Amino acid sequence: MELKQLLALVTVGDTGSVTKAARLLHVVQPAVSRYIRALEDEVGVPLFERSRQGMTLTPAGEVLAERARRALLELDRARAEIRPDREHVRGIVTIGLLESTVELVAAPLVEALGRRHPGIEVRILSAFSGHLRQWLDDGAVDMSLLYNVNSTPSIAVTPLLSEALWAIAPPDAELGPEALTWDRVCENRLILPVEGHGLRTLVDEALGTAPTIACQTNSMPVQKRLVAAGTGWSVLPAAGVAEDVAAGRLRGGPIVDPAVSRTIVLALPRSGRIPPAAEVAATEIVRVTHRLVEDGTWPTASVAQSG
């Protein structure tokens, strides 16, 4: 397999079109078609389903394209690390952020890395903790924020902070001055993550009984939109809703009796060499998250005690 063939495979898979891929790769269309045919001849199976609507990867094509993306990313990283100008750390770092932390963490993290280490190219992927853990295991991200995870033979974990879960209500809800309890939360229909989601597990353990469910969803933005529309209440990490509560789009606050929190950690793989760019990015994540806690930007959070 040649590099140009793998580039053609990934680009056609992403665009669904040989014509668009040729334009992006700055080659003629017959060349892209020739690269794809050569790959299919080599592996012995069709890699695309061809129709009037365009090109769609077959199951075999999806497998090869995923491996090709990783190989191309490793080549990009190698090029970035060995370029001249060793005065500053260079490289590509892919960071996984919990969906509930993106609004607080992404901007200050990218700004800090750009200011301190301009030679690093930052790529950020966001998802729920389970997906991020899988991406970390698969090598799709160099490091990731996870929660309620301990070190294992495959990953090294650094505790960052502990944050409380909040009850979230529609903007016109009358909450009163008293603390929000689980009994108060369960007076309402709830919008919660699907069963098996880490946050849902925390909620189910705290409740002990089955609440009245208005909707289950694997999307935090959907949870917030449904609550804002008055469909029901929800339970979410403080980081994901603090801005909405401050702006009046939602109402809410920490839950007591019992208080429930999650511990957010930074996880890196134990296998293989950690590139210098990943090392400095990990250091910056610790610095940024601790600063967000210490200046009050991350509400009801406290710096975790490691060890």
Side-chain angles (χ1 to χ4, degrees):
M1 295 182 187
E2 299 180 12
L3 180 60
K4 58 189 177 183
Q5 295 171 340
L6 298 181
L7 281 168
L9 171 69
V10 170
T11 309
V12 173
D14 288 343
T15 62
S17 165
V18 170
T19 302
K20 292 179 181 177
R23 191 179 307 122
L24 291 172
L25 296 173
H26 304 291
V27 297
V28 295
Q29 183 175 333
V32 175
S33 298
R34 187 167 60 252
Y35 298 153
I36 297 298
R37 285 197 301 271
L39 268 180
E40 291 180 322
D41 290 342
E42 182 171 347
V43 299
V45 295
L47 298 175
F48 287 94
E49 293 179 357
R50 296 159 172 86
S51 69
R52 291 166 59 182
Q53 285 71 41
M55 304 273 284
T56 304
L57 287 165
T58 63
E62 290 279 4
V63 172
L64 185 58
E66 179 62 25
R67 300 299 190 276
R69 287 189 184 94
R70 295 182 195 173
L72 294 170
L73 177 58
E74 288 302 318
L75 287 172
D76 284 345
R77 287 171 173 162
R79 291 191 189 100
E81 289 183 33
I82 63 178
R83 284 183 189 131
D85 181 16
R86 299 298 298 170
E87 180 180 353
H88 302 290
V89 176
R90 306 182 65 87
I92 298 169
V93 179
T94 305
I95 301 168
L97 293 182
L98 293 159
E99 188 178 62
S100 57
T101 68
V102 169
E103 290 183 2
L104 284 183
V105 176
L109 176 60
V110 172
E111 187 279 330
L113 281 170
R115 176 166 39 83
R116 293 174 180 269
H117 306 285
I120 294 179
E121 178 183 330
V122 184
R123 299 177 180 179
I124 289 181
L125 303 179
S126 67
F128 291 121
S129 189
H131 293 145
L132 291 172
R133 173 64 187 273
Q134 186 62 55
W135 292 346
L136 188 65
D137 290 341
D138 291 345
V141 296
D142 297 302
M143 64 197 69
S144 182
L145 296 188
L146 303 174
Y147 69 87
N148 292 8
V149 172
N150 296 317
S151 292
T152 70
S154 62
I155 62 170
V157 160
T158 301
L160 296 176
L161 59 94
S162 178
E163 69 166 336
L165 297 188
W166 280 21
I168 302 303
D172 58 355
E174 297 182 5
L175 300 186
E178 65 275 6
L180 290 166
T181 66
W182 287 101
D183 287 341
R184 176 74 174 90
V185 171
C186 289
E187 291 174 1
N188 307 273
R189 287 155 52 86
L190 297 184
I191 297 124
L192 295 176
V194 295
E195 292 184 358
H197 184 279
L199 178 59
R200 176 64 181 274
T201 300
L202 288 176
V203 172
D204 288 345
E205 290 174 352
L207 288 175
T209 57
T212 302
I213 303 293
C215 178
Q216 300 182 60
T217 174
N218 64 351
S219 168
M220 189 181 72
V222 171
Q223 283 179 263
K224 294 197 292 185
R225 281 195 290 270
L226 289 174
V227 174
T231 306
W233 285 34
S234 190
V235 178
L236 287 167
V241 293
E243 184 176 317
D244 299 281
V245 171
R249 292 187 292 269
L250 297 168
R251 298 202 65 190
I255 310 174
V256 300
D257 194 27
V260 178
S261 63
R262 65 173 184 172
T263 299
I264 294 181
V265 305
L266 174 62
L268 286 88
R270 291 188 187 276
S271 60
R273 180 182 69 88
I274 304 296
E279 291 181 355
V280 299
T283 299
E284 205 61 53
I285 289 174
V286 175
R287 181 183 291 115
V288 166
T289 54
H290 284 186
R291 187 179 71 244
L292 291 171
V293 173
E294 291 161 359
D295 66 15
T297 303
W298 201 313
T300 65
S302 58
V303 174
Q305 301 300 314
S306 58

